[in-house]
Amino acid sequence: MTPEDFRKHGHELIDMIAEYLEGVAEQRIVPDIDPGDVRAMLPEHPPTEPESWESVMADVERVVVPTITHWQHPNWFAYFPSNTSYPSILGELLSAGLGVQGMSWVTSPACTEIETLMLDWMQELLDLPDRFRSTSEHGGGVIQGSASEAALVAILAARWRATDAAVNADGDTGRLTAYTTSQAHSSVEKGLRIAGIGSDRIRIVDHDDEFAMSPSALAAAVDADVAAGLVPFFVCSTHGTTSSLAFDPTDAVADICAERRIWLHVDAAMSGIAALAPEYRWVNAGVDRADSYATNPHKWMGVNFDCTLFWTADRAALLGALSILPEYLRSQAAESGRAIDYRDWQVPLGRRFRALKLWFTIRLDGVESIRERIRRDVSLTQDLASWVGDDDRFEIVAPHPLNLLCLRLDDGNEATDALIDAVNSAGNSHVTRTVLDGRSALRVSIGARTTEREHVDAFWAELARLTPAAS
Ligand code: PLP
């Protein structure tokens, strides 16, 4: 491709993206296809000669757009949102265009320093503790690819600290025990497994009727392990669980962790972003006592995937666990102690210039408009909750302080599952099923950028129509 072609097709591509996003409501939200159908629409073997831009774009229109799941659709109520925004898309494009690889300060100073600045901006905007700031004595923040990677690096730092660094030499994790609830995201167990902590060493702590961790159950589990000669080393407290948006009581959990010097990680993957609006700052209660914390602008802030913010108050443990310095990565800047090498804060070596999309979003859309979208989503969820609550066919099965509503039919699991299937099969909106203490529930998660009142009204009308009369 020549530079002239790049300019021309680049403009065409931006037009195509804008048209897609402006018209996304017209798409069938989830394609009606079977596994293998997409591949069958494309040639089995690679081309031997370069093709034209037009033929590639024709396949984008013919094959790609009709067979993706439309996460930006206004009736997207499944999982959690993965919303995006125009400034973020442009920031992503610029990152690809500049093509830098920011593994260390010296490999692209702006990539590192703008990222550090963004973490400090976000610490301020979310009103997180000062001990997470890059200028604090022991803390700092970094962009990870996902909340799963954030949990993993927290576990690795915790493992290093609990073994006084010995794990780096002997790899022995045999006596370490970790704690979370059945409501925590599966990435916590996956991270523990990767770190050599098998399921026999993971304690699933009881939760209360609102799906939040029971501090007394945590204390009892920790005490029993200590009495058995084991070493409690890691607790994950979730702020906004995936199934039902429950909030673990981090303050009380922190008391237990402090007593035994257990690493406390707070996973606030979606909900943490709500703290951009001052009235929702409660979502981060207790975080000032955590060793690490993660939240995802790629869920609810309009920054497209991937962008997880991870802060720690103990960067020495993180660096102890993750820095390895071969000769070819040495630099004067790092050795002077004045520069951050983010490769030591994450699992991979290489890293993209992800801070650009956050920087663009904050500067171009502005924080106030993001706050307004968060408020809108919460308010739409509360309206839906009041309509559901007034209809005696439904039961609301979990507290719903923000933008997730979990409901079920009084008639039981089968009826609830049938309703979920009916909603999704109708193809106008998309919801996810979960199971809460053995009971099926339909999750309605509101957070796509394009969702407005009319979409929630239409969703409610359809839900009410598809629900059988109370028996
Ligand atoms: N933690 C929680 C509470 C989540 O809800 C999710 C995903 O929905 C994750 C972690 C994993 O997020 P990611 O896809 O960023 O790894």
Side-chain angles (χ1 to χ4, degrees):
M1 190 180 277
T2 64
E4 292 68 37
D5 288 343
F6 173 69
R7 281 175 206 274
K8 179 169 176 291
H9 302 325
H11 287 119
E12 288 163 8
L13 187 64
I14 294 287
D15 283 344
M16 180 257 154
I17 294 171
E19 268 162 41
Y20 167 74
L21 289 173
E22 281 160 34
V24 68
E26 309 309 317
Q27 302 283 349
R28 190 194 150 90
I29 194 161
V30 174
D32 186 13
I33 57 170
D34 289 319
D37 284 356
V38 178
R39 183 168 174 155
M41 294 163 84
L42 293 167
E44 189 56 26
H45 301 290
T48 48
E49 297 295 327
E51 297 183 58
S52 69
W53 169 260
E54 288 70 24
S55 73
V56 174
M57 288 311 286
D59 279 351
V60 170
E61 297 290 348
R62 178 183 67 90
V63 181
V64 179
V65 175
T67 63
I68 58 171
T69 298
H70 299 279
W71 284 68
Q72 307 309 316
H73 194 293
N75 286 16
W76 179 262
F77 304 126
Y79 309 100
F80 278 151
S82 186
N83 65 21
T84 182
S85 62
Y86 292 116
S88 168
I89 296 166
L90 293 177
E92 188 78 280
L93 181 62
L94 180 60
S95 167
L98 297 177
V100 301
Q101 207 274 53
M103 58 190 172
S104 36
W105 181 88
V106 76
T107 65
S108 191
C111 180
T112 297
E113 293 195 20
I114 294 179
E115 181 161 333
T116 309
L117 180 67
M118 286 310 99
L119 269 296
D120 285 347
W121 279 13
M122 287 298 294
Q123 175 269 336
E124 192 179 318
L125 288 168
L126 297 171
D127 198 27
L128 291 170
D130 283 346
R131 64 201 197 109
F132 287 161
R133 279 187 86 77
S134 66
T135 47
S136 66
E137 206 179 337
H138 301 294
V142 60
I143 298 181
Q144 302 278 342
S146 65
S148 309
E149 289 165 68
L152 173 59
V153 297
I155 291 163
L156 296 173
R159 197 179 72 153
W160 183 90
R161 191 170 81 182
T163 61
D164 287 329
V167 70
N168 284 3
D170 59 23
D172 184 2
T173 56
R175 290 192 310 129
L176 301 180
T177 49
Y179 308 79
T180 193
T181 71
S182 60
Q183 305 300 301
H185 192 263
S186 55
S187 54
V188 177
E189 185 177 349
K190 191 191 258 191
L192 287 164
R193 203 189 286 176
I194 294 169
I197 319 297
S199 50
D200 289 353
R201 291 283 184 263
I202 303 174
R203 311 291 178 236
I204 302 302
V205 178
D206 286 350
H207 57 75
D208 64 18
D209 291 348
E210 299 192 337
F211 307 102
M213 184 185 287
S214 153
S216 57
L218 173 65
V222 166
D223 289 347
D225 284 333
V226 171
L230 297 170
V231 181
F233 86 109
F234 178 82
V235 173
C236 178
S237 178
T238 309
H239 287 199
T241 57
T242 318
S243 264
S244 73
L245 221 67
F247 285 77
D248 289 335
T250 290
D251 246 329
V253 169
D255 289 340
I256 298 158
C257 292
E259 216 176 287
R260 307 263 183 206
R261 212 162 169 253
I262 303 171
W263 188 285
L264 173 56
H265 176 64
V266 173
D267 175 3
M270 181 186 68
S271 303
I273 290 298
L276 286 174
E279 66 271 35
Y280 301 130
R281 295 246 159 102
W282 57 264
V283 297
N284 288 327
V287 168
D288 49 320
R289 300 177 64 202
D291 293 288
S292 55
Y293 171 86
T295 190
N296 286 355
H298 70 227
K299 281 190 161 59
W300 201 16
M301 193 184 156
V303 177
N304 51 292
F305 190 85
D306 53 350
C307 184
T308 290
L309 306 180
F310 173 79
W311 284 273
T312 180
D314 185 355
R315 65 172 181 265
L318 188 67
L319 295 174
L322 294 175
S323 62
I324 295 180
L325 188 59
E327 282 306 316
Y328 50 82
L329 289 178
R330 284 187 182 280
S331 76
Q332 273 183 355
E335 274 159 36
S336 74
R338 291 189 305 126
I340 292 178
D341 280 350
Y342 275 131
R343 66 186 155 81
D344 293 337
W345 295 56
Q346 61 173 21
V347 174
L349 170 66
R351 55 203 329 276
R352 301 187 300 115
F353 201 161
R354 281 183 292 224
L356 284 174
K357 55 190 172 186
L358 193 54
W359 195 44
F360 274 35
T361 303
I362 293 171
R363 294 185 63 186
L364 293 167
D365 267 354
V367 179
E368 203 44 51
S369 75
I370 302 169
R371 288 189 185 114
E372 284 313 313
R373 289 208 293 268
I374 288 167
R375 289 179 179 126
R376 176 200 63 186
D377 296 341
V378 176
S379 149
L380 291 174
T381 310
Q382 301 314 311
D383 287 350
L384 180 64
S386 74
W387 304 329
V388 170
D390 287 345
D391 188 323
D392 58 13
R393 293 172 295 176
F394 299 103
E395 180 192 350
I396 294 177
V397 290
H400 47 88
L402 292 173
N403 59 335
L404 181 77
L405 185 68
C406 293
L407 55 97
R408 62 184 262 113
L409 294 185
D410 280 342
D411 285 347
N413 284 357
E414 254 178 55
T416 304
D417 290 348
L419 177 62
I420 295 166
D421 279 348
V423 169
N424 287 339
S425 307
N428 299 316
S429 49
H430 201 53
V431 296
T432 315
R433 170 180 182 264
T434 194
V435 176
L436 291 164
D437 283 351
R439 302 196 324 149
S440 288
L442 182 158
R443 291 167 80 265
V444 189
S445 157
I446 299 184
R449 180 181 58 86
T450 48
T451 304
E452 298 289 351
R453 164 160 299 283
E454 62 188 279
H455 306 108
V456 178
D457 285 349
F459 171 73
W460 167 239
E462 183 165 82
L463 188 71
R465 183 176 57 75
L466 293 171
T467 302
S471 54

